[in-house]
Amino acid sequence: LNPVILSGDIGVKGRVADNSYHVFYHPATSNLDHTAILDGFSIILGNANGSLDHNSGGGMLNHQSSPQVRNCVFSSNYGVYGGAVFNINGSSPDLVNSLFMDNRATDGAAVWNGINSSPKVLNCTFTQNLAVSGGGFYNYHLSNPVITNSILWNNVPDEITNSSGSQPQVTWSTVENGSGNDWFGSGCLDIDPGFRDGYHLGSDSPCIDAGNNEALLPDMIKDIDGRPRQSTPAWSEGEVALNGPVVDMGADEHQEP
């Protein structure tokens, strides 16, 4: 995992009550677009237990802001809405090759999207997040995230909750109890991903070689642990292999011993 930690534990060490409301706070005046990139950090212990904006997005709050978040870990963050990430009013960040684990909220423990906020989610893993609704995602008012090559499993009480006309697009992903939902699209699985050590794929995981190479970004050559995404003689840095080994689902790329 990423050794550089950005923590909300800014008061008495180990005392959650005096942690910062957000590790990253992007109000409407920030107006961030995809040229703003957060790459390679662990974002932990944000505690959004205040009022108004400060009760949402313990890890990151985006208000009319759409940064890129790549190769990051969100863990142990809290918010009434959006424990790890809260997006509102047209905030559609890119969430790429990242892990969301052990975050808590009332709605949307990992990610809360509201009012036309539709992030693009690629090769991410969401697990062990706890909420009243939307352990993985809570999508509100025409918020339609695009989720590809990702894993949503063992989030409580469910993986995705949609309300007020929201309709995610989920393809080439493993989603617990996803089968039968109208958003459960091409290439999706509803089979235990076989995690070991929390989020790594075991050798018999159905998520191995089950993603879609065409969805990969040109520079996606490593997984969340910094290990090669796939290997083929025709594949060099900055190139995606469309033929040959198939990318795994999720943030972890299984490595044979």
Side-chain angles (χ1 to χ4, degrees), residues 10 16 19 49 51 55 135 140 144 177 203 242 255:
I10 60 173
V16 175
N19 288 13
N49 65 344
S51 59
N55 72 353
Y140 169 73
N144 309 313
N177 297 321
S203 59
L242 297 182
Q255 309 291 318

Side-chain angles (χ1 to χ4, degrees), residues 25-250:
Y25 179 59
H26 304 141
T29 53
S30 299
N31 197 29
L32 300 180
D33 60 21
H34 289 85
T35 61
I37 302 173
L38 180 69
D39 193 338
F41 294 92
S42 290
I43 296 97
I44 66 172
L45 295 172
N47 185 35
N49 65 344
S51 59
L52 300 177
D53 273 2
H54 300 312
N55 72 353
S56 303
M60 176 181 289
L61 181 146
N62 295 310
H63 189 162
Q64 296 179 18
S65 290
S66 301
Q68 289 190 54
V69 178
R70 304 171 63 113
N71 309 305
C72 287
V73 177
F74 287 80
S75 181
S76 302
N77 298 288
Y78 170 79
V80 177
Y81 305 103
V85 176
F86 177 86
N87 302 308
I88 195 167
N89 289 341
S91 295
S92 298
D94 289 344
L95 307 177
V96 180
N97 215 56
S98 294
L99 171 65
F100 296 76
M101 187 172 181
D102 293 325
N103 300 285
R104 295 181 300 113
T106 299
D107 292 339
V111 181
W112 190 97
N113 302 306
I115 310 179
N116 300 296
S117 295
S118 302
K120 293 182 180 178
V121 181
L122 179 61
N123 279 97
C124 290
T125 296
F126 303 82
T127 188
Q128 299 179 32
N129 300 289
L130 174 64
V132 176
S133 296
F137 284 77
Y138 191 99
N139 303 310
Y140 169 73
H141 194 74
L142 303 178
S143 294
N144 309 313
V146 178
I147 302 171
T148 310
N149 287 0
S150 295
I151 301 174
L152 293 87
W153 199 270
N154 197 26
N155 299 291
V156 178
D158 52 11
E159 307 304 319
I160 300 175
T161 293
N162 302 307
S163 68
S164 302
S166 295
Q167 181 69 16
Q169 178 183 329
V170 186
T171 57
W172 303 98
S173 296
T174 292
V175 186
E176 186 172 12
N177 297 321
S179 180
N181 290 282
D182 55 4
W183 45 258
F184 193 76
S186 299
C188 284
L189 302 174
D190 186 354
I191 306 172
D192 190 326
F195 287 138
R196 58 175 178 82
D197 303 328
Y199 66 93
H200 292 105
L201 300 178
S203 59
D204 59 349
S205 172
C207 300
I208 297 172
D209 298 340
N212 180 3
N213 285 5
E214 293 185 4
L216 296 178
L217 302 176
D219 57 354
M220 283 183 63
I221 60 174
K222 295 182 179 180
D223 71 358
I224 190 66
D225 293 323
R227 301 172 305 180
R229 261 293 172 191
Q230 53 185 328
S231 177
T232 177
W235 185 46
S236 59
E237 187 163 345
E239 297 178 354
V240 172
L242 297 182
N243 299 306
V246 178
V247 68
D248 296 349
M249 294 176 177

